[in-house]
Coordinates of all heavy atoms in Angstrom, one line a residue:
M1393 N -7.5 -11.6 -41.5 CA -7.8 -12.1 -40.2 C -9.3 -11.8 -39.9 O -9.8 -10.7 -40.1 CB -6.9 -11.4 -39.2 CG -7.0 -12.0 -37.8 SD -5.9 -11.1 -36.6 CE -4.6 -12.2 -36.5
K1394 N -10.0 -12.8 -39.3 CA -11.4 -12.6 -39.0 C -11.5 -11.6 -37.9 O -10.6 -11.4 -37.0 CB -12.0 -13.9 -38.5 CG -12.2 -14.9 -39.6 CD -12.9 -16.1 -39.0 CE -13.3 -17.2 -40.0 NZ -13.9 -18.3 -39.3
R1395 N -12.7 -11.0 -37.8 CA -13.0 -10.0 -36.8 C -13.0 -10.7 -35.4 O -12.4 -10.1 -34.4 CB -14.3 -9.3 -37.1 CG -14.6 -8.2 -36.1 CD -15.9 -7.5 -36.5 NE -16.1 -6.5 -35.5 CZ -17.2 -5.7 -35.5 NH1 -18.1 -5.9 -36.4 NH2 -17.4 -4.8 -34.6
S1396 N -13.6 -11.8 -35.3 CA -13.6 -12.5 -34.0 C -12.2 -12.9 -33.5 O -11.9 -12.9 -32.3 CB -14.6 -13.7 -34.0 OG -14.1 -14.7 -34.9
T1397 N -11.4 -13.3 -34.4 CA -10.0 -13.7 -34.0 C -9.3 -12.5 -33.5 O -8.5 -12.6 -32.5 CB -9.3 -14.3 -35.2 OG1 -10.1 -15.4 -35.7 CG2 -7.9 -14.8 -34.8
M1398 N -9.4 -11.4 -34.2 CA -8.8 -10.1 -33.8 C -9.2 -9.7 -32.4 O -8.4 -9.3 -31.6 CB -9.0 -9.0 -34.8 CG -8.3 -7.7 -34.5 SD -8.7 -6.4 -35.6 CE -7.7 -6.9 -37.0
I1399 N -10.5 -9.8 -32.1 CA -11.0 -9.5 -30.8 C -10.4 -10.4 -29.7 O -10.1 -9.9 -28.6 CB -12.6 -9.5 -30.8 CG1 -13.1 -8.4 -31.6 CG2 -13.1 -9.5 -29.4 CD1 -14.6 -8.5 -31.9
H1400 N -10.3 -11.7 -30.0 CA -9.7 -12.6 -29.0 C -8.2 -12.3 -28.8 O -7.8 -12.3 -27.6 CB -9.9 -14.0 -29.5 CG -11.2 -14.6 -29.4 ND1 -12.1 -14.6 -30.4 CD2 -11.9 -15.1 -28.3 CE1 -13.3 -15.1 -30.0 NE2 -13.1 -15.4 -28.7
V1401 N -7.5 -11.9 -29.8 CA -6.1 -11.6 -29.7 C -5.9 -10.3 -28.8 O -5.1 -10.2 -27.9 CB -5.4 -11.5 -31.1 CG1 -4.0 -10.8 -30.9 CG2 -5.3 -12.8 -31.7
I1402 N -6.7 -9.3 -29.1 CA -6.6 -8.0 -28.4 C -7.1 -8.2 -26.9 O -6.4 -7.7 -26.0 CB -7.5 -6.9 -29.1 CG1 -6.8 -6.6 -30.4 CG2 -7.6 -5.7 -28.2 CD1 -7.7 -5.6 -31.3
S1403 N -8.1 -9.0 -26.7 CA -8.6 -9.3 -25.4 C -7.5 -10.0 -24.6 O -7.2 -9.7 -23.4 CB -9.8 -10.1 -25.4 OG -10.9 -9.4 -26.0
G1404 N -6.8 -11.0 -25.2 CA -5.8 -11.7 -24.5 C -4.6 -10.8 -24.2 O -4.0 -10.9 -23.1
F1405 N -4.3 -9.9 -25.1 CA -3.2 -9.0 -24.8 C -3.5 -8.1 -23.6 O -2.7 -7.8 -22.8 CB -2.9 -8.1 -26.1 CG -1.9 -7.1 -25.9 CD1 -0.5 -7.4 -25.8 CD2 -2.2 -5.7 -25.7 CE1 0.4 -6.4 -25.6 CE2 -1.3 -4.8 -25.5 CZ 0.1 -5.1 -25.5
I1406 N -4.8 -7.6 -23.6 CA -5.2 -6.7 -22.4 C -5.1 -7.5 -21.1 O -4.6 -7.0 -20.1 CB -6.6 -6.2 -22.7 CG1 -6.6 -5.2 -23.8 CG2 -7.2 -5.6 -21.4 CD1 -7.9 -4.7 -24.3
V1407 N -5.5 -8.8 -21.1 CA -5.5 -9.6 -19.9 C -4.1 -9.8 -19.5 O -3.7 -9.7 -18.3 CB -6.3 -10.9 -20.1 CG1 -6.0 -11.9 -19.0 CG2 -7.8 -10.7 -20.2
V1408 N -3.2 -10.1 -20.4 CA -1.8 -10.4 -20.0 C -1.1 -9.1 -19.5 O -0.4 -9.1 -18.6 CB -1.0 -11.0 -21.2 CG1 0.5 -11.0 -21.0 CG2 -1.5 -12.4 -21.5
S1409 N -1.4 -8.0 -20.2 CA -0.8 -6.7 -19.7 C -1.3 -6.3 -18.3 O -0.5 -5.9 -17.5 CB -1.2 -5.6 -20.7 OG -0.7 -5.9 -22.0
A1410 N -2.6 -6.5 -18.1 CA -3.2 -6.1 -16.8 C -2.6 -7.1 -15.7 O -2.3 -6.6 -14.6 CB -4.7 -6.2 -16.8
S1411 N -2.5 -8.3 -16.0 CA -1.9 -9.3 -15.0 C -0.4 -8.9 -14.7 O 0.0 -9.0 -13.6 CB -2.0 -10.7 -15.6 OG -3.3 -11.1 -15.8
G1412 N 0.3 -8.5 -15.7 CA 1.7 -8.1 -15.5 C 1.8 -6.9 -14.7 O 2.7 -6.8 -13.8
A1413 N 0.9 -5.9 -14.9 CA 0.9 -4.7 -14.1 C 0.6 -5.0 -12.6 O 1.1 -4.5 -11.7 CB 0.0 -3.7 -14.6
W1414 N -0.4 -5.9 -12.4 CA -0.8 -6.4 -11.1 C 0.3 -7.0 -10.4 O 0.6 -6.8 -9.2 CB -2.0 -7.3 -11.2 CG -2.5 -7.8 -9.9 CD1 -3.1 -7.1 -8.9 CD2 -2.5 -9.2 -9.5 NE1 -3.4 -8.0 -7.9 CE2 -3.1 -9.2 -8.2 CE3 -2.1 -10.4 -10.1 CZ2 -3.2 -10.4 -7.5 CZ3 -2.2 -11.5 -9.4 CH2 -2.8 -11.6 -8.1
L1415 N 1.0 -7.9 -11.1 CA 2.2 -8.6 -10.5 C 3.3 -7.7 -10.1 O 4.0 -7.8 -9.1 CB 2.7 -9.7 -11.4 CG 1.8 -11.0 -11.5 CD1 2.3 -11.9 -12.6 CD2 1.7 -11.7 -10.2
A1416 N 3.6 -6.7 -11.0 CA 4.7 -5.8 -10.8 C 4.5 -4.8 -9.7 O 5.4 -4.3 -9.1 CB 4.9 -5.0 -12.1
T1417 N 3.2 -4.5 -9.4 CA 2.9 -3.5 -8.3 C 2.6 -4.1 -7.0 O 2.2 -3.4 -6.1 CB 1.8 -2.6 -8.7 OG1 0.6 -3.3 -9.0 CG2 2.2 -1.8 -10.0
G1418 N 2.7 -5.4 -6.8 CA 2.6 -6.0 -5.5 C 1.5 -6.9 -5.2 O 1.3 -7.3 -4.1
R1419 N 0.7 -7.3 -6.2 CA -0.4 -8.3 -6.1 C -1.4 -8.0 -4.9 O -1.6 -8.8 -4.1 CB 0.2 -9.7 -5.9 CG 1.0 -10.1 -7.1 CD 1.5 -11.5 -6.9 NE 1.8 -11.8 -5.6 CZ 2.8 -12.6 -5.2 NH1 3.6 -13.1 -6.1 NH2 3.1 -12.9 -3.9
E1420 N -1.8 -6.7 -4.8 CA -2.8 -6.3 -3.8 C -4.2 -6.7 -4.2 O -4.5 -6.8 -5.4 CB -2.7 -4.8 -3.5 CG -1.4 -4.4 -3.0 CD -1.2 -4.7 -1.5 OE1 -2.2 -4.9 -0.8 OE2 0.0 -4.8 -1.1
G1421 N -5.1 -6.9 -3.2 CA -6.5 -7.2 -3.5 C -7.2 -5.9 -3.9 O -8.1 -6.0 -4.7
Y1422 N -6.9 -4.8 -3.3 CA -7.5 -3.5 -3.7 C -6.5 -2.5 -4.1 O -5.3 -2.6 -3.7 CB -8.2 -2.9 -2.4 CG -9.4 -3.7 -2.0 CD1 -9.3 -4.7 -1.0 CD2 -10.7 -3.6 -2.6 CE1 -10.4 -5.4 -0.6 CE2 -11.7 -4.3 -2.2 CZ -11.6 -5.2 -1.2 OH -12.7 -6.0 -0.8
T1423 N -6.9 -1.6 -5.0 CA -6.0 -0.6 -5.5 C -5.6 0.3 -4.3 O -6.5 0.8 -3.6 CB -6.6 0.2 -6.6 OG1 -6.9 -0.7 -7.7 CG2 -5.7 1.2 -7.2
R1424 N -4.3 0.6 -4.2 CA -3.8 1.5 -3.1 C -3.2 2.7 -3.7 O -2.6 2.6 -4.8 CB -2.7 0.8 -2.3 CG -3.2 -0.4 -1.6 CD -2.1 -1.2 -0.9 NE -1.2 -0.2 -0.2 CZ -0.3 -0.5 0.7 NH1 -0.1 -1.8 1.0 NH2 0.4 0.4 1.3
W1425 N -3.3 3.8 -3.0 CA -2.7 5.1 -3.5 C -1.8 5.5 -2.4 O -2.0 5.3 -1.2 CB -3.8 6.1 -3.7 CG -4.8 5.7 -4.8 CD1 -6.0 5.1 -4.6 CD2 -4.6 5.9 -6.2 NE1 -6.6 4.9 -5.8 CE2 -5.8 5.3 -6.8 CE3 -3.6 6.4 -7.0 CZ2 -5.9 5.3 -8.1 CZ3 -3.8 6.3 -8.3 CH2 -4.9 5.8 -8.9
P1426 N -0.7 6.3 -2.8 CA 0.2 6.8 -1.7 C -0.6 7.7 -0.8 O -1.5 8.5 -1.2 CB 1.2 7.6 -2.5 CG 1.2 7.0 -3.9 CD -0.2 6.5 -4.1
N1427 N -0.2 7.7 0.5 CA -1.0 8.5 1.5 C 0.1 9.2 2.4 O 0.9 8.5 3.0 CB -1.9 7.6 2.3 CG -2.8 8.4 3.2 OD1 -2.5 9.5 3.5 ND2 -3.9 7.8 3.5
A1428 N 0.0 10.5 2.5 CA 1.0 11.2 3.3 C 0.8 10.9 4.8 O 1.8 10.8 5.5 CB 0.9 12.7 3.1
K1429 N -0.4 10.6 5.3 CA -0.6 10.3 6.7 C 0.0 8.9 7.0 O 0.6 8.8 8.1 CB -2.1 10.3 7.0 CG -2.7 11.6 7.0 CD -4.2 11.6 7.4 CE -4.8 13.0 7.4 NZ -6.2 12.9 7.8
L1430 N 0.0 8.0 6.1 CA 0.6 6.7 6.4 C 2.1 6.9 6.4 O 2.8 6.2 7.2 CB 0.2 5.7 5.3 CG -1.1 5.1 5.4 CD1 -1.4 4.1 4.2 CD2 -1.3 4.4 6.7
A1431 N 2.7 7.7 5.5 CA 4.1 7.9 5.5 C 4.6 8.5 6.8 O 5.6 8.2 7.3 CB 4.5 8.7 4.3
Q1432 N 3.8 9.4 7.4 CA 4.1 10.1 8.6 C 4.0 9.2 9.8 O 4.7 9.4 10.8 CB 3.2 11.3 8.9 CG 3.5 12.5 7.9 CD 2.5 13.6 8.1 OE1 1.6 13.5 8.9 NE2 2.7 14.7 7.4
S1433 N 3.2 8.2 9.7 CA 3.0 7.3 10.9 C 4.2 6.4 11.2 O 4.4 5.9 12.3 CB 1.8 6.4 10.7 OG 2.0 5.5 9.6
D1434 N 5.1 6.3 10.2 CA 6.3 5.5 10.4 C 7.4 6.4 11.1 O 8.4 5.8 11.6 CB 6.9 5.0 9.1 CG 6.4 3.6 8.8 OD1 5.9 3.0 9.7 OD2 6.6 3.2 7.7
A1435 N 7.2 7.7 11.2 CA 8.2 8.5 11.7 C 8.3 8.3 13.3 O 7.3 8.1 13.9 CB 7.9 10.0 11.4
P1436 N 9.5 8.4 13.8 CA 9.6 8.2 15.3 C 8.9 9.3 16.0 O 8.9 10.5 15.5 CB 11.1 8.1 15.5 CG 11.7 8.8 14.3 CD 10.8 8.5 13.2
A1437 N 8.5 9.1 17.2 CA 7.8 10.1 18.0 C 8.9 11.1 18.5 O 10.0 10.8 18.7 CB 7.2 9.5 19.3
A1438 N 8.4 12.4 18.6 CA 9.3 13.4 19.1 C 9.6 13.2 20.5 O 8.9 12.6 21.3 CB 8.6 14.8 18.9
E1439 N 10.8 13.8 21.0 CA 11.2 13.6 22.4 C 10.2 14.2 23.3 O 10.0 13.7 24.4 CB 12.6 14.2 22.5 CG 13.7 13.4 21.9 CD 15.0 14.0 22.1 OE1 15.2 14.7 23.2 OE2 15.9 13.8 21.3
I1440 N 9.6 15.3 22.9 CA 8.7 16.0 23.8 C 7.4 15.1 24.1 O 6.9 15.1 25.2 CB 8.3 17.4 23.3 CG1 7.6 18.2 24.3 CG2 7.4 17.3 22.0 CD1 7.5 19.7 24.0
E1441 N 7.0 14.3 23.1 CA 5.9 13.4 23.3 C 6.3 12.3 24.3 O 5.5 11.9 25.1 CB 5.5 12.8 22.0 CG 4.8 13.8 21.0 CD 4.5 13.2 19.7 OE1 4.8 12.0 19.4 OE2 4.0 13.9 18.8
D1442 N 7.5 11.8 24.2 CA 7.9 10.8 25.2 C 7.9 11.4 26.6 O 7.6 10.7 27.5 CB 9.3 10.3 24.8 CG 9.3 9.4 23.6 OD1 8.2 8.8 23.3 OD2 10.3 9.2 22.9
D1443 N 8.4 12.6 26.7 CA 8.4 13.3 28.0 C 7.0 13.4 28.6 O 6.8 13.2 29.8 CB 9.1 14.6 28.0 CG 10.6 14.5 27.6 OD1 11.1 13.4 27.8 OD2 11.2 15.5 27.2
L1444 N 6.0 13.8 27.8 CA 4.6 13.9 28.2 C 4.1 12.6 28.7 O 3.4 12.5 29.8 CB 3.7 14.4 27.1 CG 4.0 15.9 26.7 CD1 3.1 16.2 25.5 CD2 3.6 16.8 27.9
F1445 N 4.4 11.5 28.0 CA 3.9 10.2 28.5 C 4.6 9.7 29.7 O 4.0 9.1 30.6 CB 4.0 9.2 27.4 CG 3.0 9.3 26.3 CD1 3.4 9.4 25.0 CD2 1.7 9.3 26.5 CE1 2.5 9.6 23.9 CE2 0.7 9.5 25.5 CZ 1.2 9.6 24.2
A1446 N 5.9 10.1 29.9 CA 6.6 9.7 31.0 C 6.1 10.4 32.3 O 6.1 9.8 33.4 CB 8.1 10.0 30.8
D1447 N 5.6 11.6 32.1 CA 5.1 12.4 33.2 C 3.9 11.8 33.8 O 3.6 11.9 35.0 CB 4.8 13.8 32.8 CG 6.0 14.7 32.6 OD1 7.1 14.2 33.0 OD2 5.9 15.7 31.9
I1448 N 3.1 11.1 33.0 CA 1.8 10.5 33.5 C 2.0 9.0 33.8 O 1.0 8.3 34.2 CB 0.6 10.7 32.6 CG1 0.9 10.1 31.2 CG2 0.3 12.2 32.5 CD1 -0.3 10.2 30.3
G1449 N 3.2 8.5 33.7 CA 3.5 7.1 34.0 C 3.6 6.1 32.9 O 3.7 4.9 33.1
F1450 N 3.4 6.5 31.7 CA 3.6 5.7 30.5 C 4.9 5.9 29.9 O 5.1 6.9 29.2 CB 2.5 5.9 29.5 CG 1.1 5.6 29.9 CD1 0.2 6.6 30.3 CD2 0.7 4.3 30.0 CE1 -1.1 6.3 30.7 CE2 -0.6 3.9 30.4 CZ -1.5 4.9 30.8
E1451 N 5.8 5.0 30.1 CA 7.1 5.1 29.5 C 7.3 4.2 28.3 O 6.7 3.0 28.4 CB 8.2 4.9 30.6 CG 8.2 5.9 31.7 CD 9.4 5.9 32.5 OE1 10.5 5.5 32.0 OE2 9.3 6.3 33.7
T1452 N 7.9 4.6 27.3 CA 8.1 3.7 26.2 C 9.3 2.8 26.4 O 10.4 3.3 26.8 CB 8.3 4.6 24.9 OG1 9.4 5.4 25.0 CG2 7.1 5.4 24.6
N1453 N 9.2 1.6 26.0 CA 10.3 0.7 26.1 C 10.6 0.3 24.6 O 9.9 -0.5 24.0 CB 9.8 -0.6 26.9 CG 11.0 -1.6 27.0 OD1 12.1 -1.3 26.5 ND2 10.7 -2.7 27.7
D1454 N 11.7 0.9 24.1 CA 12.0 0.7 22.7 C 12.3 -0.8 22.3 O 12.2 -1.1 21.2 CB 13.2 1.6 22.3 CG 12.9 3.0 22.4 OD1 11.7 3.4 22.2 OD2 13.8 3.8 22.5
E1455 N 12.7 -1.6 23.3 CA 13.0 -3.0 23.0 C 11.8 -3.8 22.8 O 11.8 -4.8 22.0 CB 13.8 -3.6 24.1 CG 15.2 -2.9 24.3 CD 15.9 -3.4 25.6 OE1 15.3 -4.3 26.3 OE2 17.0 -2.9 25.8
S1456 N 10.7 -3.5 23.4 CA 9.5 -4.3 23.3 C 8.5 -3.8 22.2 O 7.5 -4.5 21.9 CB 8.7 -4.4 24.7 OG 8.2 -3.1 25.0
T1457 N 8.7 -2.7 21.7 CA 7.7 -2.2 20.7 C 8.0 -2.9 19.4 O 9.1 -3.1 18.9 CB 7.8 -0.6 20.5 OG1 9.2 -0.3 20.2 CG2 7.5 0.1 21.8
A1458 N 6.9 -3.2 18.7 CA 7.0 -3.9 17.4 C 7.3 -2.8 16.4 O 6.7 -1.7 16.4 CB 5.7 -4.6 17.1
D1459 N 8.1 -3.1 15.4 CA 8.4 -2.2 14.4 C 7.4 -2.4 13.2 O 7.5 -3.3 12.5 CB 9.8 -2.5 13.8 CG 10.3 -1.5 12.8 OD1 9.8 -0.3 12.9 OD2 11.2 -1.8 12.0
V1460 N 6.4 -1.5 13.2 CA 5.4 -1.6 12.2 C 5.8 -0.7 11.0 O 6.2 0.5 11.2 CB 4.0 -1.1 12.8 CG1 2.9 -1.1 11.8 CG2 3.7 -1.9 14.0
N1461 N 5.7 -1.2 9.8 CA 6.0 -0.5 8.6 C 4.8 -0.3 7.8 O 4.3 -1.3 7.2 CB 7.2 -1.2 7.9 CG 7.6 -0.4 6.7 OD1 7.3 0.8 6.6 ND2 8.4 -1.0 5.9
F1462 N 4.3 0.9 7.7 CA 3.1 1.2 6.8 C 3.7 1.6 5.5 O 4.5 2.6 5.4 CB 2.2 2.3 7.4 CG 1.6 1.9 8.6 CD1 2.0 2.3 9.8 CD2 0.5 1.0 8.6 CE1 1.4 2.0 11.0 CE2 -0.2 0.7 9.7 CZ 0.3 1.1 11.0
Q1463 N 3.4 0.9 4.4 CA 3.9 1.3 3.1 C 2.9 2.2 2.4 O 1.8 1.9 2.1 CB 4.1 0.0 2.3 CG 5.2 -0.9 2.9 CD 5.3 -2.1 2.0 OE1 4.6 -2.3 1.1 NE2 6.3 -2.9 2.4
S1464 N 3.4 3.4 2.1 CA 2.6 4.4 1.3 C 3.1 4.3 -0.1 O 4.0 5.0 -0.5 CB 2.8 5.8 1.9 OG 2.1 6.7 1.2
R1465 N 2.4 3.5 -0.9 CA 2.8 3.3 -2.3 C 1.6 3.0 -3.1 O 0.5 2.7 -2.6 CB 3.8 2.2 -2.4 CG 3.2 0.9 -2.0 CD 4.2 -0.3 -2.1 NE 3.7 -1.5 -1.6 CZ 2.9 -2.3 -2.2 NH1 2.5 -2.0 -3.4 NH2 2.5 -3.4 -1.6
F1466 N 1.8 3.1 -4.5 CA 0.7 2.7 -5.4 C 0.8 1.2 -5.6 O 1.8 0.6 -5.8 CB 0.9 3.4 -6.7 CG -0.1 2.9 -7.7 CD1 -1.4 3.3 -7.7 CD2 0.3 2.0 -8.7 CE1 -2.3 2.8 -8.7 CE2 -0.6 1.6 -9.7 CZ -1.9 2.0 -9.6
A1467 N -0.4 0.6 -5.6 CA -0.5 -0.9 -6.0 C -1.8 -1.1 -6.8 O -2.8 -0.7 -6.3 CB -0.5 -1.7 -4.8
L1468 N -1.7 -1.6 -7.9 CA -2.8 -1.9 -8.8 C -3.5 -3.2 -8.2 O -2.8 -4.2 -8.1 CB -2.4 -2.1 -10.2 CG -3.5 -2.5 -11.2 CD1 -4.5 -1.2 -11.3 CD2 -3.0 -2.9 -12.5
G1469 N -4.7 -3.1 -7.8 CA -5.4 -4.2 -7.2 C -6.4 -4.8 -8.1 O -6.7 -4.4 -9.2
L1470 N -7.0 -5.9 -7.6 CA -8.0 -6.6 -8.4 C -9.3 -5.9 -8.4 O -10.2 -6.0 -9.3 CB -8.2 -8.1 -7.9 CG -6.9 -8.9 -8.1 CD1 -7.2 -10.3 -7.4 CD2 -6.6 -9.1 -9.5
A1471 N -9.6 -5.1 -7.3 CA -10.8 -4.4 -7.2 C -10.4 -2.9 -6.9 O -9.4 -2.6 -6.4 CB -11.6 -4.9 -6.0
P1472 N -11.3 -2.0 -7.3 CA -11.0 -0.6 -7.1 C -10.9 -0.3 -5.6 O -11.6 -0.8 -4.8 CB -12.1 0.2 -7.7 CG -13.0 -0.8 -8.4 CD -12.6 -2.2 -8.0
G1473 N -10.0 0.7 -5.2 CA -9.9 1.1 -3.9 C -10.3 2.5 -3.7 O -10.5 3.3 -4.7
G1474 N -10.4 3.0 -2.5 CA -10.7 4.4 -2.2 C -9.6 5.3 -2.6 O -8.4 4.9 -2.6
I1475 N -9.9 6.5 -2.8 CA -8.9 7.5 -3.2 C -8.3 8.1 -1.9 O -8.9 8.6 -1.0 CB -9.5 8.6 -4.1 CG1 -9.8 7.9 -5.4 CG2 -8.5 9.7 -4.3 CD1 -10.4 8.9 -6.4

């Protein structure tokens, strides 16, 4: 096998492997790393925090709040992301 043919085959294998890993981890634009602060942001507020807001006139309405889900996970992106 010629050297140039071997380089093309290996390069193609690397591209297919990287594309498969990108598809399997969520097709993100930037590489993402798990973050403990993001995972904590999904936790419901403590009752004492609700009481503090109610004292100053800000009451939470559980029916109108949007359910935001921050995903703290690894995703291989097309561009490097921050650590």
Side-chain angles (χ1 to χ4, degrees):
M1393 186 181 259
K1394 287 185 179 179
R1395 184 176 179 185
S1396 62
T1397 305
M1398 183 183 284
I1399 290 173
H1400 286 96
V1401 169
I1402 292 172
S1403 299
F1405 177 75
I1406 291 171
V1407 168
V1408 168
S1409 299
S1411 298
W1414 177 66
L1415 289 170
T1417 58
R1419 299 183 324 216
E1420 294 286 334
Y1422 292 96
T1423 300
R1424 297 173 48 165
W1425 299 96
N1427 188 338
K1429 289 184 181 180
L1430 284 178
Q1432 290 175 355
S1433 66
D1434 267 347
E1439 288 182 26
I1440 194 165
E1441 291 174 0
D1442 288 338
D1443 293 341
L1444 289 172
F1445 286 126
D1447 288 343
I1448 60 173
F1450 293 105
E1451 296 194 27
T1452 58
N1453 184 1
D1454 292 337
E1455 296 172 2
S1456 66
T1457 57
D1459 187 24
V1460 179
N1461 185 13
F1462 295 103
Q1463 296 179 356
S1464 178
R1465 63 179 174 80
F1466 172 77
L1468 181 67
L1470 296 176
I1475 293 179

